[in-house]
Amino acid sequence: MKCDLLIKGGKIFTAEESFKCDIAIKNDKIIAIGKNLPSREAKRVINAQGKYVIPGGIDVHVHFELPFCGTVSADDFYTGTKAAACGGVTTVIDFATQDTKRGLLAGIEARRKIADPKVCVDYSLHASIIRWTERTPLEISEAITYGVPTFKMFMIYEEEGWQSDDAALFSALELSDLFNFRLMVHAESERVMKLLINHYLKQKKSVGAYGHTLSRPNFIEAEAIQRAITWTAVTGGRLYIVHMSTSEGTDLVKTAQAEGVNVLAETCPQYLLLQDDVFKDKKTGHLYATCPQIKKKEDNMRLWLGIMDGEISVVSTDTCTFTKKQKALWKGDFTKIPYGLPGVETLIPLLYTYGVCEGRITMNRLVEVVSTNPAKIMGMYPQKGSLMIGTDADITIFDPKKTTIIDYKRLATNCDWSPYQGWKVKGFPEYTILRGNVIVDNGEFCGSKGFGKFIQRKLTL
Ligand code: URP
Ligand code: ZN
Ligand code: ZN
């Protein structure tokens, strides 16, 4: 069989099945999946014996070179997507903030100007709505036509000028069913949180970075999720809770789904694996600050259960990298820490080690939450997130036996620290293939700047 690339002898995992087969690729597409496909006429053969072959990861929540908290996130569209490739992620979705004068589309086009020449993997954008006006419904319909059918609204970040009030949320949810889009919501309750922040700021010296935890108890997220769910139920809208971090939030989503409310949820590795005692370390605690902040063991457990049981559909990373120097801007005030963590590069190895190897999820479920569901929910399936004949040959060959100690110095991210520094992971991507092109070869990045394409999306769910 004439093909450009033949992946031989690996164990294929999709969201539904696992089987041993070869995959043949020509140009940018999968052209055959079968046993004992002949190597003779293949331009290149990768021996995947003993390896897992999965659809490339899709991280639907990243923030590269985001102006935020008085600085700009340290992974730009080049280093961020290079890190993605090295972590077996072949598509990312970043965010384009609405241009308050010229509209959502202008925001998308401006972000594309920055991203297009730099991206090493395929990418798309969600549009962040920060000002709801009479024009916004028109702006939304323009963005959908352009291929951006997912919008984000923030219940916090008044200082950044990003916050939406309940009326705007309600209006967006009302439209979401009519226009066929999904509204992603950062759900935290800002008014009460500010009250608590002001209280703990009086003790900022003694509480240090742990003030971030004290001022955001779990009800701050849960109350906001409840509110967003209520508006979704009464409007018949489509909601997606981003970076869900609490057990209470997970319970609320589960109940709402059982009642037929169209709400989906994602969580991130930091909420599955880290606990808030990290903030107590006087030297490094502030590095871990992110919004929502890292919670407790009980929350980790409940979120894992949510992934197993299905109320959590997606694991993304909310990658928003800040270096130690940037994090040092806090100068002892927990409200001034640039919020965010690196993550896209370690998503799959961490989920494999602490999910699959610990018996919490199957390998098929891993594929489902990091690739197939993201593609389906965000409107890229089956082009992305599948291993089917005729679809984009975005493939990760994962070595389940490659034990690695996470060390930021050996990662592609621009970050000079890692929340998982020194952690042992039991497997790592060995090859990453984007539209038939090997961009990580035997663990070495060999992709190029600007090779990634902007993916136009259309919702079907
Ligand atoms: O702290 C975070 N997560 N920074 C990025 C912005 C957001 O809320 O997603
Ligand atoms: Zn957020
Ligand atoms: Zn985010």
Side-chain angles (χ1 to χ4, degrees):
M1 172 182 298
K2 279 201 172 133
C3 67
D4 298 325
L5 183 61
L6 183 64
I7 301 168
K8 253 203 122 35
K11 186 162 182 190
I12 295 176
F13 286 91
T14 68
E16 295 92 23
E17 296 175 284
S18 336
F19 50 93
K20 239 184 135 181
C21 253
D22 306 335
I23 298 183
I25 296 158
K26 195 168 168 56
N27 298 324
D28 53 352
K29 301 280 189 266
I30 294 174
I31 57 160
I33 302 174
K35 292 212 184 291
N36 304 315
L37 296 180
S39 311
R40 249 174 305 119
E41 293 187 88
K43 286 190 191 146
R44 180 173 178 189
V45 179
I46 294 179
N47 178 4
Q49 204 76 39
K51 310 286 158 64
Y52 293 170
V53 180
I54 62 174
I58 301 175
D59 187 347
V60 302
H61 191 153
V62 298
H63 304 276
F64 299 141
E65 49 189 298
L66 174 72
F68 187 49
C69 299
T71 180
V72 178
S73 62
D75 270 312
D76 67 6
F77 278 97
Y78 174 61
T79 62
T81 54
K82 184 176 167 188
C86 293
V89 170
T90 49
T91 305
V92 296
I93 313 187
D94 203 287
F95 296 81
T97 305
Q98 180 179 29
D99 180 321
T100 50
K101 290 204 180 76
R102 298 187 305 131
L104 285 168
L105 207 50
I108 293 166
E109 279 165 351
R111 198 84 173 129
R112 278 200 66 181
K113 267 206 181 114
I114 300 169
D116 280 8
K118 295 188 187 173
V119 283
C120 311
V121 301
D122 285 355
Y123 86 106
S124 188
L125 296 166
H126 309 289
S128 298
I129 301 169
I130 58 170
R131 201 83 74 252
W132 189 274
T133 68
E134 278 177 3
R135 260 190 56 85
T136 312
L138 176 67
E139 291 178 31
I140 289 176
S141 69
E142 284 169 355
I144 294 171
T145 307
Y146 187 87
V148 173
T150 45
F151 300 85
K152 185 175 183 192
M153 288 170 99
F154 301 88
M155 293 168 91
I156 67 163
Y157 298 137
E158 191 176 13
E159 274 77 23
E160 298 284 345
W162 295 352
Q163 191 188 35
S164 290
D165 63 17
D166 286 357
L169 281 169
F170 188 92
S171 306
L173 284 163
E174 260 188 327
L175 272 191
S176 63
D177 188 41
L178 202 65
F179 284 17
N180 191 21
F181 68 83
R182 193 164 286 276
L183 186 70
M184 307 167 79
V185 172
H186 177 140
E188 287 188 286
S189 209
E190 179 136 81
R191 293 280 173 265
V192 179
M193 187 176 84
K194 280 204 167 143
L195 197 76
L196 298 177
I197 284 177
N198 288 333
H199 174 75
Y200 287 106
L201 265 180
K202 291 184 195 126
Q203 312 157 38
K204 70 176 176 202
K205 252 201 158 144
S206 58
V207 297
Y210 198 68
H212 191 42
T213 283
L214 293 170
S215 54
R216 288 173 134 93
N218 283 22
F219 63 76
I220 292 291
E221 179 179 88
E223 185 279 332
I225 289 180
Q226 178 59 77
R227 209 163 357 121
I229 284 174
T230 302
W231 304 144
T232 307
V234 295
T235 57
R238 295 160 195 219
L239 176 66
Y240 179 97
I241 303 292
V242 295
H243 49 45
M244 191 164 67
S245 66
T246 56
S247 61
E248 291 87 341
T250 317
D251 289 342
L252 289 168
V253 167
K254 187 180 169 104
T255 306
Q257 287 173 341
E259 287 166 357
V261 180
N262 192 340
V263 53
L264 300 172
E266 69 173 20
T267 191
C268 312
Q270 55 269 32
Y271 306 119
L272 295 165
L273 300 172
L274 300 174
Q275 294 90 40
D276 61 13
D277 52 5
V278 293
F279 295 117
K280 290 184 176 160
D281 189 304
K282 293 263 178 292
K283 282 207 181 98
T284 60
H286 65 290
L287 298 176
Y288 293 82
T290 188
C291 290
Q293 95 283 13
I294 290 155
K295 302 292 194 304
K296 301 196 190 300
K297 192 94 203 153
E298 303 83 83
D299 300 294
N300 302 158
M301 295 304 151
R302 179 66 187 90
L303 291 161
W304 276 116
L305 202 65
I307 298 174
M308 290 187 233
D309 288 354
E311 53 266 28
I312 294 174
S313 314
V314 172
V315 182
S316 69
T317 63
D318 195 12
T319 294
C320 191
T321 307
F322 293 107
T323 61
K324 285 196 247 179
K325 194 172 167 200
Q326 290 176 299
K327 290 276 185 179
L329 291 169
W330 82 304
K331 296 195 182 102
D333 178 342
F334 68 85
T335 64
K336 302 235 161 26
I337 312 173
Y339 298 124
L341 302 174
V344 65
E345 200 165 356
T346 46
L347 167 68
I348 295 176
L350 286 172
L351 261 199
Y352 176 72
T353 305
Y354 298 97
V356 178
C357 298
E358 302 270 310
R360 291 178 168 129
I361 54 170
T362 61
M363 193 62 199
N364 304 95
R365 185 65 179 152
L366 180 147
V367 170
E368 193 164 31
V369 295
V370 301
S371 183
T372 306
N373 280 349
K376 285 181 175 170
I377 292 166
M378 300 303 168
M380 294 184 278
Y381 187 84
Q383 179 190 0
K384 306 287 187 193
S386 74
L387 292 176
M388 289 182 204
I389 292 169
T391 63
D392 282 3
D394 292 351
I395 298 172
T396 294
I397 304 179
F398 184 83
D399 183 350
K401 295 206 174 74
K402 189 171 172 184
T403 302
T404 307
I405 307 289
I406 294 179
D407 178 2
Y408 70 85
K409 293 189 203 101
R410 292 167 60 196
L411 296 175
T413 167
N414 247 346
C415 204
D416 55 358
W417 69 283
S418 168
Y420 313 103
Q421 183 71 11
W423 287 33
K424 190 171 167 183
V425 286
K426 291 186 179 153
F428 220 85
E430 196 166 51
Y431 295 89
T432 305
I433 298 157
L434 175 64
R435 284 179 276 105
N437 296 271
V438 178
I439 59 168
V440 173
D441 197 335
N442 203 8
E444 292 296 319
F445 178 73
C446 58
S448 53
K449 238 181 179 173
F451 181 71
K453 273 192 187 160
F454 179 78
I455 303 298
Q456 286 185 305
R457 298 179 287 122
K458 192 173 171 28
L459 292 199
T460 49
L461 278 185

